[in-house]
Amino acid sequence: MGRFLPSLSRRGFMGSVGVGSLALGVGAGMARRAGAAEPAGMIDVSVVTTPDIGVEVLPDAYYLTNVRLETGFVEEEKPWLDEPVITHTDTELKTLRIADGKIAEILDNAAPIPPEAAAYDAQGQVMLPTFRDMHIHLDKTFYGGPWEATLPTEHGRADRVAQEREMLLKLLPMAEERTAAMIRLMHSQGTTVCRSHCNVDPVSKLGNLEHLKNSFARFQDTLQSAIIIFPQHGLLASDSVGLMREALESGGVSFVGGVDPSSFDNAMEESVDTTVQLAVDYNVGIDIHVHEPRETAIPAFNRIMDHMEENPQLQGNVTFSHAYGLAELSPEELADIAARMKALGVDFAGGVPIGKGQMPLRELHEAGINVMSGTDSVIDWWDSFGNCDILQKASEIARMQYRSTEFEISRTLGYATGFVTPLNDAGEQVWPKAGDEASFNLLPASCSAEAVARLPVRNAVFHKGKLAYGNLPKAG
């Protein structure tokens, strides 16, 4: 089986650079003693790549023993509280039979396993649904190469776009390998479902899109993916409408993107109308970035929803991303626009921004909006940070908008899983069931709440029955 260093699991493979740096200081300039073992080769920290470590190819059918499944909440009375309170989550160890990418059976843990069957030991780890990164830019990153931090700007986004124009052609030859490195990092964090934005612009043209498609094809067995073509330099501002049509005609695109129709394209109505026309002409969805304040953001959202009422094929297939203007609304104003979003099936996607007005993620979710989490830019010229860890995003949401109780923390797992959770709000077991897709994570935690609060390593990551990351011992 493929072996992984435990110290590298929690944050992907990035820790290897630090280890190598320490080795450089210890060994420099020291003469090797006679008979001493040959020293290990130095790590070249100017060319840092993530290792392409293989995992065991599992058979089409096998058993997993000692899988910890959540079965219900435990309520207790406390003398200082007026009502009983949920204090723990009950679990049971089970054996699962996996076949043809699905959970074929959930058996008693003592159930006999046919002697000829392949069987692996989950070692009592909790089983959680696979994680979903629904807003990420996998086509452009420094990750997988030498470290570079973001540069300061004097003219805001204009400087970032100017830098991007310089960087895109430089990175294009290595874009596919950088994307593959990020996908491996995503897998190490438990993610096997993603939606990625992809630049379509006058500099890279369709180059990034071609590389992203190739990368997704390489990981088609362990990653469910969708592509959003994204006019990063402005749909109208960079005259990218023709390129967007070329990208749509090339196939394999699920969504048309857009960005700040008022502050970037300086023509809200034309920008929105053109984006909608592209989606209607090619029968795809819309995912639009809007970072603008409420004064321009809300009119843009309402214009898109006006189009949705006229074009029913868009209903249930539009996402408002970032949408920082929603944080500026009063509770009554937010309730009004959320009701319209729900009626038309508009999704919300965000990256839990730090340092901006706190986004009303819980309010949107509880209003019936499909709230999706993403890691957005990962270590690129827009942002030096990012580790592809959607569970960490759920943990951040829990700390900002929920109480630190067993019940409320457990509910925030849904922000990482598309709101597939082992227990529903009533404490009834709703996942997994026989027949469900075998896409899940095994983590050394006792329950969902502990996993969100403590962010344990993801020791084994499965996608449709296939091992995407990690390893498991054979059952004895």
Side-chain angles (χ1 to χ4, degrees):
M1 305 178 73
R3 302 299 299 173
F4 295 86
L5 296 176
S7 63
L8 300 185
S9 299
R10 180 164 184 171
R11 291 292 177 263
F13 309 109
M14 301 171 70
S16 60
V17 180
V19 174
S21 300
L22 291 174
L24 291 174
V26 172
M30 294 180 65
R32 186 163 61 92
R33 290 171 297 151
E38 189 71 28
M42 295 296 183
I43 294 175
D44 185 353
V45 296
S46 69
V47 184
V48 180
T49 58
T50 57
D52 190 359
I53 301 176
V55 295
E56 182 177 5
V57 177
L58 302 182
D60 289 338
Y62 55 91
Y63 289 82
L64 278 179
T65 66
N66 296 315
V67 179
R68 187 172 302 280
L69 300 183
E70 296 183 5
T71 57
F73 293 125
V74 178
E75 272 193 353
E76 296 182 23
E77 293 185 354
K78 298 295 181 182
W80 61 89
L81 298 174
D82 294 333
E83 299 290 339
V85 62
I86 292 171
T87 57
H88 295 90
T89 301
D90 261 342
T91 62
E92 291 181 8
L93 295 181
K94 295 288 185 179
T95 291
L96 275 58
R97 183 171 69 88
I98 310 295
D100 299 322
K102 293 186 179 298
I103 299 171
E105 291 183 275
I106 301 176
L107 307 167
D108 186 87
N109 204 41
I113 296 174
E116 71 281 2
Y120 301 88
D121 188 353
Q123 300 175 295
Q125 297 182 96
V126 71
M127 176 176 165
L128 299 180
T130 195
F131 301 152
R132 305 165 66 90
D133 193 327
M134 304 304 281
H135 184 111
I136 189 170
H137 295 259
L138 285 170
D139 64 313
K140 52 186 185 182
T141 182
F142 292 141
Y143 185 75
W147 162 252
E148 293 188 51
T150 54
L151 298 176
T153 61
E154 294 180 356
H155 309 97
R157 179 166 52 189
D159 287 357
R160 288 279 177 251
V161 171
Q163 183 186 6
E164 178 159 303
R165 291 193 184 105
E166 176 185 298
M167 295 300 304
L168 285 171
L169 289 180
K170 176 182 175 183
L171 293 179
L172 198 58
M174 59 195 80
E176 187 174 327
E177 288 309 314
R178 295 285 177 89
T179 297
M182 275 218 287
I183 292 173
R184 292 193 293 271
L185 178 61
M186 289 170 65
H187 282 349
S188 76
Q189 305 286 29
T191 295
T192 69
V193 179
C194 77
R195 270 174 35 177
S196 178
H197 296 266
C198 180
N199 261 45
V200 171
D201 58 73
V203 178
S204 62
K205 301 190 186 317
L206 305 190
N208 275 22
L209 179 59
E210 178 184 348
H211 287 303
L212 185 61
K213 288 179 181 178
N214 289 342
S215 293
F216 282 164
R218 287 170 59 181
F219 289 88
Q220 61 185 335
D221 288 342
T222 56
L223 183 69
Q224 177 184 321
S225 60
I227 294 175
I228 307 147
I229 53 170
F230 182 51
Q232 175 74 79
H233 303 169
L235 180 64
L236 305 181
S238 64
D239 193 21
S240 293
V241 177
L243 284 170
M244 295 285 278
R245 287 193 177 275
E246 283 185 49
L248 288 160
E249 288 166 4
S250 74
V253 173
S254 300
F255 298 88
V256 171
V259 56
D260 293 341
S262 295
S263 64
F264 209 163
D265 277 341
N266 298 310
M268 185 273 281
E269 293 182 357
E270 183 183 358
S271 182
V272 166
D273 294 352
T274 304
T275 300
V276 170
Q277 194 62 56
L278 288 169
V280 170
D281 287 350
Y282 292 92
N283 194 30
V284 297
I286 295 171
D287 189 328
I288 185 167
H289 291 52
V290 179
H291 313 83
E292 299 173 0
R294 58 173 291 168
E295 290 78 14
T296 54
I298 302 307
F301 293 147
N302 279 319
R303 189 169 185 87
I304 292 171
M305 290 190 283
D306 290 343
H307 281 294
M308 293 176 71
E309 290 176 346
E310 297 169 5
N311 299 277
Q313 69 269 35
L314 291 176
Q315 295 179 21
N317 207 16
V318 170
T319 301
F320 295 162
S321 284
H322 300 304
Y324 298 144
L326 296 178
E328 302 175 48
L329 301 181
S330 69
E332 295 76 20
E333 291 170 325
L334 182 63
D336 285 345
I337 195 168
R340 192 178 188 198
M341 290 170 64
K342 180 183 178 183
L344 293 169
V346 177
D347 298 336
F348 171 84
V352 198
I354 297 173
K356 300 185 184 298
Q358 187 174 126
M359 292 301 298
L361 303 178
R362 182 171 186 171
E363 292 88 343
L364 290 171
H365 168 61
E366 292 179 352
I369 307 302
N370 179 30
V371 176
M372 302 184 294
S373 301
T375 52
D376 202 11
S377 297
V378 176
I379 310 177
D380 65 6
W381 45 94
W382 293 85
D383 193 341
S384 300
F385 297 94
N387 59 6
C388 290
D389 191 349
I390 280 293
L391 187 60
Q392 180 179 324
K393 295 295 183 182
S395 185
E396 290 168 359
I397 294 168
R399 296 184 71 177
M400 290 190 298
Q401 300 191 350
Y402 289 75
R403 293 187 299 170
S404 58
T405 63
E406 180 82 4
F407 175 76
E408 294 215 4
I409 297 173
S410 76
R411 300 302 82 197
T412 64
L413 176 70
Y415 291 99
T417 64
F419 291 93
V420 178
T421 55
L423 304 178
N424 64 16
D425 288 354
E428 300 163 333
Q429 184 179 19
V430 292
W431 182 93
K433 300 288 188 186
D436 286 347
E437 182 181 286
S439 296
F440 55 87
N441 293 323
L442 295 175
L443 303 86
S446 62
C447 61
S448 297
E450 183 181 4
V452 171
R454 293 187 170 176
L455 301 176
V457 298
R458 277 113 261 195
N459 281 329
V461 179
F462 293 78
H463 182 69
K464 296 182 179 179
K466 292 181 169 60
L467 192 59
Y469 171 83
N471 55 59
L472 287 173
K474 293 226 174 120

